[in-house]
């Protein structure tokens, strides 16, 4: 998830990581395609942003990232894997840069790299900004023109609570993400609740949901 790439060693394991993955699965279902592997396959991290990330991710504050992106080949030479650069950039293209930068004062290195290369006014004159604008015009969930994205957006906006739930699941801030309980109690899921199967226990409410076979 993006918080792992932004915070590095300061990131915390929790159910928020699984919930972000659930959001990607939800988007996969609405597009009919893998958002990372298929739809954004041609989208790659621009050079200047990548250079800043490289410097950050090789530092002591992000050595958890360094251990993943660097490995030794058969000849014993250190090789860099570009996957994580493209992963963070694709998340930014697809979901946009959050207006509220969580933990930016204490762990702001990656946020500052984003501002310096992708967003005005600090990125004015940086070629990466034009690339980012172009990629968002095609693949942004909020306004992208790619047919798969546009069709998914129409479907999400046409179902009560669907877009709201998805955006909550893919929040960059893990503490703002929908929890599993939030998911099953969301407006999007409410139409599947079988009212006659709700059981009130002493401390719990047990609900049954309609299942569909496809």
């Amino acid at each position: 998830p993006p918080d792992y790439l932004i915070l590095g060693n300061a990131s915390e394991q929790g159910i928020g990581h699984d919930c972000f993955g659930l959001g990607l699965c939800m988007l996969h279902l609405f597009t009919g395609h893998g958002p990372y592997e298929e739809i954004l396959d041609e989208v790659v991290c621009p050079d200047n942003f990548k250079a800043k990330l490289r410097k950050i991710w090789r530092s002591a504050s992000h050595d958890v990232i360094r251990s993943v992106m660097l490995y030794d080949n058969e000849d014993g030479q250190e090789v860099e894997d570009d996957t994580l650069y493209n992963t963070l950039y694709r998340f930014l293209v697809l979901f946009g840069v959050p207006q509220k930068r969580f933990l930016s004062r204490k762990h702001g290195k990656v946020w500052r790299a984003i501002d310096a290369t992708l967003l005005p006014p600090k990125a004015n004159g940086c070629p990466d900004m034009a690339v980012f604008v172009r990629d968002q015009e095609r693949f942004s969930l909020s306004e992208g023109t790619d047919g798969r994205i546009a069709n998914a957006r129409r479907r999400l906006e046409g179902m009560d609570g669907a877009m709201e739930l998805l955006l909550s699941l893919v929040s960059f801030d893990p503490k703002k993400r929908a929890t599993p309980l939030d998911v099953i109690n969301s407006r999007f899921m409410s139409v599947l609740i079988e009212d006659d199967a709700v059981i009130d226990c002493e401390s719990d409410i047990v609900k049954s949901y309609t299942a569909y076979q496809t």
Side-chain angles (χ1 to χ4, degrees):
D3 46 296
Y4 171 78
L5 302 174
I6 292 169
L7 301 180
N9 299 353
S11 62
E12 299 178 357
Q13 277 283 6
I15 61 171
H17 289 190
D18 297 322
C19 293
F20 187 86
L22 178 60
L24 294 181
C25 290
M26 183 176 176
L27 183 58
H28 192 156
L29 291 172
F30 274 85
T31 60
H33 299 271
Y36 181 90
E37 305 89 342
E38 297 175 333
I39 298 178
L40 278 77
D41 181 57
E42 64 188 72
V43 175
V44 296
C45 185
D47 291 339
N48 293 285
F49 184 40
K50 182 177 179 179
K52 287 185 177 295
L53 288 178
R54 178 180 290 113
K55 184 176 180 180
I56 296 167
W57 287 350
R58 290 188 177 219
S59 68
S61 64
H62 286 68
D63 56 16
V64 64
I65 304 293
R66 186 180 187 279
S67 66
V68 174
M69 60 185 281
L70 297 178
Y71 63 95
D72 292 335
N73 63 15
E74 296 178 353
D75 298 324
Q77 297 175 322
E78 190 176 71
V79 178
E80 182 180 78
D81 187 341
D82 287 346
T83 300
L84 294 183
Y85 296 120
N86 295 335
T87 297
L88 178 58
Y89 180 68
R90 289 172 184 178
F91 288 155
L92 293 168
V93 168
L94 188 57
F95 303 121
V97 179
Q99 290 186 343
K100 293 185 178 180
R101 316 292 177 82
F102 64 98
L103 298 179
S104 60
R105 290 187 179 180
K106 192 173 182 181
H107 306 287
K109 293 179 181 178
V110 172
W111 292 123
R112 288 191 291 273
I114 292 170
D115 285 336
T117 58
L118 303 182
L119 300 176
K122 291 185 179 180
N124 288 345
C126 179
D128 291 12
M129 188 172 73
V131 175
F132 185 57
V133 169
R134 182 196 66 202
D135 288 338
Q136 281 211 304
E137 286 174 349
R138 287 191 62 193
F139 298 111
S140 165
L141 180 60
S142 64
E143 57 187 7
T145 58
D146 178 86
R148 297 159 295 185
I149 293 292
N151 287 335
R153 183 168 59 248
R154 283 193 291 270
R155 295 189 186 104
L156 286 161
E157 291 174 344
M159 299 182 69
D160 187 32
M163 182 65 85
E164 177 186 3
L165 176 60
L166 174 59
L167 293 178
S168 178
L169 285 168
V170 299
S171 169
F172 277 41
D173 185 345
K175 294 184 179 179
K176 298 289 180 63
R177 285 183 202 137
T179 65
L181 188 60
D182 292 332
V183 173
I184 64 173
N185 287 320
S186 65
R187 288 187 293 124
F188 176 67
M189 293 289 289
S190 63
V191 295
L192 298 178
I193 298 175
E194 298 175 343
D195 293 331
D196 57 351
V198 175
I199 303 172
D200 288 305
C201 301
E202 186 174 331
S203 58
D204 297 304
I205 298 176
V206 181
K207 298 178 182 178
S208 177
Y209 291 80
T210 303
Y212 292 94
Q213 257 188 341
T214 57

